[in-house]
């Protein structure tokens, strides 16, 4: 691997503004070529406890900061990220095998996410209440204010190691909370880099703590801890369900998986949409929560859509994530390659057609296009999280909508149609958190409300919405009638 960025041989935990060596370490391997990148601290429960206590203590200094000061820290961070843009992108690319061009896009979005957070820090409005609307309320003044919850436990996945951390850390700082961050074991480097920058940006000591290590150990410890007031989790539904069971009365936000779908109606100009659909299906090897996994194309267009889709997919280059030309690189683990290949085999053996791909080169699964797959196959009904797309045909819009809704998940769905009535009808019928008209379900910008229904999760992200989740509305009533 072409390592332009230097990575220290051994990483450290970040607790109470200090770097700590852990008692236990594990090698971090490149998902692409298996080389050791560095060694990662595997925090114990005792170290997780230190991080939580540090965050508890830092609440005092965070509460002393005015809104404009928290905003300024976040703006400082955006400037530092711009200054360190190349390093940030390379760290993501190295640890996650994310093609470098895609990693750069992630850093740009991360800067946006922190900028939105900086703006939101100055927008924490409450409301004035007409207390005298009730007979007993005469002579009283009522208003609400947004207050921080306290310590927020943030648990993040591997696939957007910088921007999905930003979706938790940005609003938490904006609202005056303190944070214990547990990044995914495969992608801790971008989080450790973030705290380096946050220190320089002026964040008070202890306001953010990073503990790396096994989710089952440190994640679980945080989830059960009484001093952690909220868990904001992005990851798989399996872990999300466990968190919900263990979190007790803590506030939780769960941003989970999906097998997102798109409807291509009969009036669509295929030429215009195919390359966008290919991008939605294969960007970051399909390891995106709103990756385009299922496409339902009107029967009149079906054959030419599949033909053009395959032609466009053939143009994708596979290989080293640090190579500028690479579009599709390695899956996050070799187990994921094996899992994806076995799901493709299941589809092949049950009569589906593998139009392209279906094999791997090392840990790179070649972009795979499957047609004629029944809804009960794993490639259709589970989250593939790999560069695999299933394309089927439909004859009526109701049939297509029912196929899209035939899923445990409901994060986002898309529809291409020129008919406004069909577009509006679809928004009413699709069981998802977001409907994207005339674009793929993979569309996301960082300030929009984002979150799913069914097994795709609970609660919303998108900075303004995360700010609401991370605050408590406190009511103040003043009796103004007593002299
Ligand atoms: P994952 O395996 O669920 O891991 C997510 C995080 O949870 C990691 O930090 C992991 O730590 C930790 N964890 C594991 N077991 C835990 C436990 N028992 N208690 C507490 N924490 C625990 O997910 P992933 O493979 O990293 O990410 C892929 C999944 O994330 C997909 O399902 C994808 O759809 C979803 N995702 C959703 C969104 C969204 O916004 N809806 C966005 C991106 C990704 P370790 O790494 O140490 O195991």
């Amino acid at each position: 691997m072409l390592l332009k960025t230097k990575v220290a041989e051994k990483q450290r935990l970040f607790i109470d503004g200090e770097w700590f060596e852990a008692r236990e370490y594990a090698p971090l391997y490149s998902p692409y070529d298996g080389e050791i990148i560095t060694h990662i601290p595997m925090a114990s429960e005792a170290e997780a406890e230190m991080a939580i206590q540090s965050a508890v203590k830092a609440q005092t200094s965070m509460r002393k900061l005015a809104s404009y000061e928290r905003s300024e820290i976040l703006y400082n961070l955006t400037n530092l990220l711009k200054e360190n843009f190349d390093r940030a992108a390379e760290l993501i690319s190295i640890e996650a095998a994310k093609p470098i061009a895609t990693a750069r896009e992630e850093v740009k979005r991360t800067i946006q996410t922190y900028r939105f957070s900086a703006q939101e820090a100055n927008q924490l409005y409450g409301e004035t209440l007409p207390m005298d609307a009730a007979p007993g309320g005469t002579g009283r003044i009522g208003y609400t204010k947004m207050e921080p919850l306290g310590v927020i436990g943030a648990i993040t996945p591997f696939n957007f190691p910088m921007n999905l951390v930003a979706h938790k850390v940005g609003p938490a700082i904006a609202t005056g909370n303190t944070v214990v961050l547990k990044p995914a074991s495969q992608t801790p480097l971008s989080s450790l880099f973030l705290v380096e920058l946050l220190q320089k940006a002026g964040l008070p000591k202890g306001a953010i703590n990073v503990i790396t290590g096994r989710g089952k150990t440190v994640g679980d410890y945080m989830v059960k801890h009484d001093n952690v007031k909220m868990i904001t989790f992005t990851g798989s539904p399996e872990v999300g369900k466990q968190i919900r069971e263990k979190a007790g009365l803590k506030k939780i936000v769960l941003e989970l998986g999906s097998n997102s779908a798109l409807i291509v109606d009969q009036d669509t100009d295929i030429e215009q949409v195919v390359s966008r659909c290919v991008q939605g299906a294969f960007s970051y090897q399909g390891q995106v929560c709103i990756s385009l996994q299922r496409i339902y194309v009107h029967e009149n267009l079906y054959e030419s859509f599949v033909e053009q889709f395959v032609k466009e997919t053939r143009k994708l280059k596979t290989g080293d994530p640090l190579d500028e030309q690479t579009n599709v690189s390695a899956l996050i683990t070799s187990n994921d390659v094996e899992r994806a290949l076995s799901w493709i085999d299941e589809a092949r053996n049950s009569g589906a057609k593998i139009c392209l791909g279906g094999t791997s080169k090392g840990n790179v699964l070649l972009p795979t296009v499957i047609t004629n797959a029944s809804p009960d196959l794993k490639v259709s009904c589970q989250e593939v999280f790999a560069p695999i797309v299933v394309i089927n045909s439909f004859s009526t819009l109701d049939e297509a909508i029912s196929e899209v809704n035939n899923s445990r998940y409901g994060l986002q769905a898309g529809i291409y149609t020129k008919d406004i009535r069909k577009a509006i009808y679809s928004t009413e019928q699709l069981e998802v958190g977001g409907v994207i008209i005339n674009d793929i379900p993979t569309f996301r910008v960082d300030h929009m409300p984002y979150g799913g229904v069914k097994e795709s999760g609970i609660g919303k992200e998108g900075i303004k919405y995360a700010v609401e989740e991370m605050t408590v509305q406190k009511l103040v009533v003043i009796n103004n009638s007593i002299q």
Side-chain angles (χ1 to χ4, degrees), residues 129-142:
L129 306 169
M131 299 304 291
D132 63 355
T138 311
R140 266 115 174 129
I141 299 165

Side-chain angles (χ1 to χ4, degrees), residues 260-276:
S260 297
L262 170 73
I263 298 171
V264 180
D265 197 17
Q266 56 186 328
D267 56 7
T268 307
D269 183 344
I270 299 177
E271 298 271 332
Q272 278 188 2
V273 308
V274 158
S275 65
R276 179 81 173 144

